[in-house]
Amino acid sequence: MMPSPAHSDPSPPNSQVILQFLSSVLSQRGPYAEDTKWLIRQHLVSLTTAFPSLVPRTATFTHNDGRSVNLLQSDGTVPMSFQGVTYNIPVVIWLMESYPRHPPCVYVNPTRDMIIKRHHPHVNPSGMVSIPYLQDWIYPSSNLVELVRNLSVMFGRDPPLYSQRRPNPSPSHNPNPSPSPSSSFGRNSANSSIASNMGAAAFQRPVIPPRGYPPSHTEDPNEVFKRNAINKLVETVHNDIVGIRKTMEAEMEGLFSAQGALKQREEELNKGLKEMQDEKEALEQKLQMVLMNSDVLEAWVRENEGMISSDFEVDDAFECVDVLSKQILECTASDLAIEDAIYSLDKAVQDGAIQFDQYLRNVRLLSREQFFHRGTAAKVRESQLQAQVANMASRISQYNNG
């Protein structure tokens, strides 16, 4: 992946302009998730506060599949210390669509007179940066400020950029010209050696304004006390701000964890509620069926109340619809009666009420009769099934003819 070229401004905008810019960009729809836009804004504001040279912007990023999307980026330089001197490495930090749940993409952005060091352990030939902090990115504790600090340490151990050596102009056109020293490093031999191997245009030593002294070269004690008090106050406020920020980050991480747990519980509750609603509907259907059956039974009792006499036969209460049904009812009743008789014989022989040979003889006779009833019932069921099939076939034929 190669990012679109980015151009840095001579001076970064002030914090108010940055806040307005971020609020305007993140108030629009996409490409970032709505629940992470606040955290993205905080990350960029903290980065600009800690490293004013990195300015948030929007630019077009082209993926490998040719898809282009407008993303946020931090464009500028990362300070690094090399051999006791501070230099600046030009970089572009892209906030991908899945940020901050996934790490950003970092690219070294060399100027025209720089080249990327070959076989660098953390920067590939295209400029893409890969360091352990990016590989071990953890949401939501990882952030851009710590990322840039890690970049500064890694670049200080092994600078990723070098300046291209250019021949000094001479009338004889010497084929093997020596590299020209960079004026930005002064005349010191150690600095000249660094300038000949590293990108002097990018690794510029910061300009420190000279300190002014009174003409008498003596300081007023009141001024010294005032300056020390201001420095102490500034240091105290800075420490308080750092402590408050750490506390807020810890609270925010706890809130994110609680939010995840609450979402999981919400899903479980919704699932349980749906199951309970389904069970309620099933029970209501069963209740309606029970009520209907109760109404039918109550109506039958009302109709037949007072009709039962002392000589009433229980078998007469049920009327079979056809001969086969009556036959299978009789066979089933006989089968169950024989089953009860055999059970009673088992109990009698165990209690010693009858002799064992008498028990065997009776069981043999009852079993033969039970087998006969069961066989008859099986044949009747087969006949009923054939009758049902024939009935269904006749109905289908009538339906097709109609």
Side-chain angles (χ1 to χ4, degrees):
M1 293 184 293
M2 288 299 297
S4 302
H7 304 282
S8 59
D9 297 333
S11 60
N14 57 45
S15 58
Q16 188 65 28
V17 174
I18 291 176
L19 288 175
Q20 294 177 356
F21 167 74
L22 292 177
S23 299
S24 175
V25 172
L26 295 175
S27 64
Q28 302 174 6
R29 293 185 59 185
Y32 304 102
E34 293 295 331
D35 59 341
T36 62
K37 286 185 177 180
W38 180 86
L39 188 58
I40 293 174
R41 180 178 180 274
Q42 293 299 111
H43 281 191
L44 290 173
V45 170
S46 299
L47 178 63
T48 306
T49 303
F51 298 94
S53 60
L54 290 168
V55 182
R57 293 184 175 85
T58 56
T60 301
F61 188 93
T62 303
H63 291 273
N64 287 335
D65 57 3
R67 179 172 51 89
S68 298
V69 61
N70 199 36
L71 300 177
L72 280 167
Q73 63 170 213
S74 283
D75 182 19
T77 58
V78 172
M80 74 165 206
S81 178
F82 185 78
Q83 296 185 357
V85 182
T86 301
Y87 305 97
N88 297 312
I89 302 293
V91 298
V92 177
I93 303 175
W94 290 88
L95 274 59
M96 310 306 292
E97 298 95 319
S98 58
Y99 185 87
R101 290 185 170 87
H102 295 88
C105 287
V106 183
Y107 289 88
V108 171
N109 190 25
T111 59
R112 279 187 288 180
D113 57 346
M114 301 178 202
I115 58 175
I116 299 174
K117 179 182 177 181
R118 296 182 60 186
H119 308 298
H120 193 276
H122 301 299
V123 182
N124 65 15
S126 66
M128 189 174 184
V129 178
S130 176
I131 62 173
Y133 190 83
L134 289 171
Q135 299 168 358
D136 301 332
W137 184 273
I138 300 176
Y139 171 80
S141 58
S142 300
N143 56 77
L144 296 178
V145 175
E146 293 300 326
L147 169 62
V148 173
R149 288 173 181 166
N150 278 265
L151 289 173
S152 178
V153 172
M154 293 295 178
F155 290 165
R157 294 174 183 172
D158 190 356
L161 296 180
Y162 287 87
S163 61
Q164 300 187 55
R165 302 194 177 194
R166 301 190 179 186
N168 292 327
S170 59
S172 60
H173 300 288
N174 186 1
N176 296 315
S178 59
S180 60
S182 173
S183 61
S184 62
F185 292 89
R187 298 178 180 274
N188 184 277
S189 59
N191 287 342
S192 299
S193 175
I194 298 171
S196 63
N197 293 309
M198 302 172 59
F203 312 139
Q204 296 178 357
R205 189 171 184 175
V207 179
I208 303 176
R211 180 181 298 177
Y213 295 92
S216 60
H217 298 281
T218 60
E219 297 186 72
D220 186 0
N222 293 330
E223 293 294 331
V224 174
F225 176 79
K226 180 179 179 181
R227 184 170 64 251
N228 291 337
I230 293 174
N231 292 337
K232 183 64 176 178
L233 180 61
V234 170
E235 182 180 358
T236 303
V237 172
H238 175 72
N239 293 334
D240 291 342
I241 292 175
V242 172
I244 292 173
R245 189 184 69 178
K246 290 182 178 179
T247 303
M248 291 182 63
E249 288 178 352
E251 292 178 355
M252 184 172 62
E253 185 173 356
L255 290 174
F256 276 117
S257 300
Q259 183 184 20
L262 289 175
K263 285 185 177 179
Q264 184 177 1
R265 292 181 182 179
E266 180 186 8
E267 293 176 357
E268 293 176 356
L269 289 174
N270 290 335
K271 182 180 179 181
L273 179 61
K274 186 178 183 302
E275 292 177 355
M276 292 177 65
Q277 289 176 347
D278 295 341
E279 185 177 359
K280 178 184 176 183
E281 293 177 357
L283 291 175
E284 288 178 348
Q285 292 178 358
K286 291 182 179 179
L287 178 60
Q288 293 295 329
M289 185 64 65
V290 170
L291 293 175
M292 291 173 61
N293 293 334
S294 298
D295 294 339
V296 173
L297 291 175
E298 290 176 357
W300 186 87
V301 169
R302 286 193 301 267
E303 292 177 358
N304 295 275
E305 187 175 5
M307 296 178 60
I308 301 176
S309 60
S310 59
D311 57 348
F312 179 77
E313 292 292 337
V314 178
D315 294 338
D316 296 336
F318 300 94
E319 295 182 1
C320 298
V321 296
D322 53 22
V323 177
L324 292 177
S325 298
K326 184 177 181 180
Q327 188 175 6
I328 198 171
L329 178 62
E330 293 174 353
C331 291
T332 303
S334 300
D335 181 16
L336 295 176
I338 293 173
E339 191 73 25
D340 293 340
I342 294 176
Y343 175 77
S344 298
L345 288 173
D346 290 339
K347 294 290 291 182
V349 75
Q350 291 177 5
D351 297 339
I354 61 173
Q355 296 296 326
F356 187 72
D357 56 348
Q358 185 180 1
Y359 163 78
L360 291 177
R361 185 168 58 255
N362 291 327
V363 168
R364 189 180 300 111
L365 294 174
L366 291 173
S367 298
R368 186 181 296 111
E369 185 178 356
Q370 186 182 34
F371 176 78
F372 171 75
H373 290 302
R374 289 183 178 179
T376 303
K379 291 182 178 180
V380 171
R381 290 192 186 94
E382 185 178 356
S383 299
Q384 285 181 330
L385 181 61
Q386 292 177 356
Q388 290 177 358
V389 172
N391 188 17
M392 292 177 60
S394 63
R395 289 182 180 180
I396 294 174
S397 175
Q398 292 176 1
Y399 176 78
N400 294 331
N401 295 331

